[in-house]
Amino acid sequence: MYLPYIRGRQYELLALRELVTNDLLGDYVIPIIEPVKLSPTLIKTISEYIRVEHQVAVIRNPIVGSFKKDINEAKNDSKEGVYKKEFQKLYDDNIVIKSIILQKNARSLLNYWDDNGVLKKDLLVINTDRDFLDLFEQEFSNENPCYALIPDESAFRRRIKRNRVILDDKFEKQSRNADYQDIEDEFFSDDHLYFKDDGLKGFADYSVVGNDYQEGGFAPYAVAIHIVYFAKDNSLRIKHFVSDSNEDISNPAKKFYEAVSKLNNWYQSDPFPPTLGLTTLLLHYNNQTYPGLGSVKKLSIMHHLELMGKYLSEGK
């Protein structure tokens, strides 16, 4: 099972929604959403997964963003109050895997779920802080969560033995997009090849975005498109296609066309069965259209998740 960990910003959520609407995730991909904002996009995304009956994990105590504040401060007679009510209704659905990050507020949430009939065996638990290993052992001594996401470290492997999923940041983020010009092609992951041999229930990563979280965006000097692909040994590698006119922030459409032209040349030289995300990027090249940087990220995520879904489905 592949569990991509996605921070719930607008374009990330749109990527998840478009994939599930078009039935492109397969049976072995369960996205994990860490909400960053109480938004209509979040509501619509969760609703779509429920509509098509594809499981999705949603973290109820996120660390990043304003989601917790949005929920706590939402007034009943406001639009935020409507979103809150709808979110709470959706969250009760069995398609949504109740998910929790072990941190200071975790025990009270676990107690709340206990009091409301949520079984521990149905939870997804993320434990990346060894200070909360004791809490994990106390809370799950008699019943294991369905998924326990941990870092690839011996301290966690020794103490969490059941239903383990390794959560690892595979994306080697550079400080500037232009810096990817010096890399172009690099190893991404081989977890999909070995997770079963390692006694794991699945594997997880932060897709082509990485674990680093920033509240706001900014106009970049360079545009970079990140595309994963399978090497001959079935390991996953990543290509970085970077614009050339990177002296200032002007004309992002031109920068995008420079980057997507390189993507097109690479793909035409050694094509493989395309994904919806990749096809859409190449369509922008052919039509010389610019979708905006948010959509470029969305399409790169879509490509990665669909590619993994196809691989896991074909391997069964």
Side-chain angles (χ1 to χ4, degrees):
M1 190 65 72
Y2 173 46
L3 296 101
Y5 191 114
I6 303 295
R7 299 270 168 53
R9 288 167 289 209
Q10 181 178 1
Y11 286 98
E12 283 86 338
L13 292 173
L14 291 174
L16 294 181
R17 196 165 89 209
E18 198 162 332
L19 284 167
V20 81
T21 297
N22 289 282
D23 193 23
L24 295 175
L25 283 175
D27 295 332
Y28 304 100
V29 178
I30 299 176
I32 302 169
I33 299 174
E34 181 178 7
V36 302
K37 184 179 180 181
L38 181 61
S39 69
T41 309
L42 175 65
I43 301 299
K44 290 176 183 176
T45 301
I46 299 172
S47 297
E48 188 65 5
Y49 276 77
I50 293 172
R51 184 186 73 81
V52 303
E53 298 183 347
H54 188 110
Q55 281 193 307
V56 61
V58 182
I59 296 168
R60 191 60 182 82
N61 63 336
I63 292 176
V64 301
S66 64
F67 177 80
K68 287 189 292 184
K69 181 181 178 183
D70 296 344
I71 284 280
N72 292 335
E73 296 182 359
K75 301 282 196 299
N76 290 334
D77 56 350
S78 67
K79 65 179 181 180
E80 290 78 13
V82 175
Y83 300 155
K84 176 180 178 179
K85 185 176 180 181
E86 186 63 21
F87 172 83
Q88 291 172 330
K89 177 183 175 184
L90 294 171
Y91 204 75
D92 286 338
D93 196 283
N94 290 332
I95 290 294
V96 178
I97 300 175
K98 282 66 179 169
S99 306
I100 185 171
I101 299 172
L102 292 194
Q103 52 178 307
K104 288 183 179 180
N105 61 11
R107 191 183 294 276
S108 61
L109 179 56
L110 288 168
N111 290 339
Y112 172 81
W113 280 337
D114 276 343
D115 293 341
N116 286 273
V118 177
L119 302 178
K120 284 192 166 69
K121 69 180 182 63
D122 295 329
L123 298 180
L124 182 149
V125 178
I126 300 156
N127 188 2
T128 57
D129 186 336
R130 58 175 70 198
D131 285 343
F132 293 97
L133 280 168
D134 287 345
L135 175 62
F136 183 93
E137 290 179 332
Q138 292 162 13
E139 292 288 340
F140 299 97
S141 58
N142 298 319
E143 203 169 19
N144 298 299
C146 61
Y147 298 102
L149 273 69
I150 59 173
D152 192 9
E153 298 176 15
S154 58
F156 291 87
R157 286 178 175 271
R158 285 194 295 262
R159 298 178 66 178
I160 299 178
K161 301 182 183 299
R162 308 281 188 212
N163 299 339
R164 294 179 302 190
V165 175
I166 295 298
L167 173 60
D168 194 14
D169 188 357
K170 302 296 184 181
F171 187 70
E172 296 289 341
K173 193 172 184 65
Q174 302 299 312
S175 57
R176 305 175 307 160
N177 281 344
D179 294 338
Y180 293 107
Q181 287 180 316
D182 299 327
I183 305 167
E184 292 191 353
D185 187 299
E186 60 183 325
F187 175 80
F188 188 79
S189 177
D190 57 8
D191 287 353
H192 55 285
L193 299 175
Y194 302 114
F195 74 97
K196 289 183 181 178
D197 295 340
D198 292 339
L200 303 171
K201 192 172 182 180
F203 58 100
D205 58 40
Y206 298 89
S207 187
V208 294
V209 180
N211 186 26
D212 183 52
Y213 176 78
Q214 295 177 340
E215 287 285 351
F218 56 91
Y221 278 73
V223 168
I225 304 171
H226 311 290
I227 297 294
V228 297
Y229 70 97
F230 286 113
K232 290 182 180 179
D233 63 358
N234 272 338
S235 66
L236 205 60
R237 297 187 64 84
I238 185 166
K239 294 278 289 186
H240 309 288
F241 304 96
V242 186
S243 58
D244 297 311
S245 56
N246 304 328
E247 297 80 17
D248 54 45
I249 64 173
S250 65
N251 205 344
K254 177 185 177 183
K255 297 176 191 295
F256 168 72
Y257 191 72
E258 291 168 350
V260 79
S261 296
K262 296 176 182 180
L263 167 59
N264 179 73
N265 292 340
W266 168 73
Y267 181 73
Q268 298 306 329
S269 68
D270 190 16
F272 53 85
T275 62
L276 177 59
L278 181 56
T279 298
T280 306
L281 281 168
L282 296 175
L283 193 61
H284 284 299
Y285 165 78
N286 290 325
N287 295 337
Q288 297 190 31
T289 49
Y290 173 52
L293 294 179
S295 290
V296 173
K297 178 173 66 172
K298 179 192 82 167
L299 295 169
S300 297
I301 294 170
M302 287 176 59
H303 166 72
H304 178 204
L305 271 56
E306 181 183 347
L307 196 70
M308 292 310 304
K310 284 181 176 178
Y311 173 87
L312 293 171
S313 294
E314 290 168 0
K316 297 297 178 183

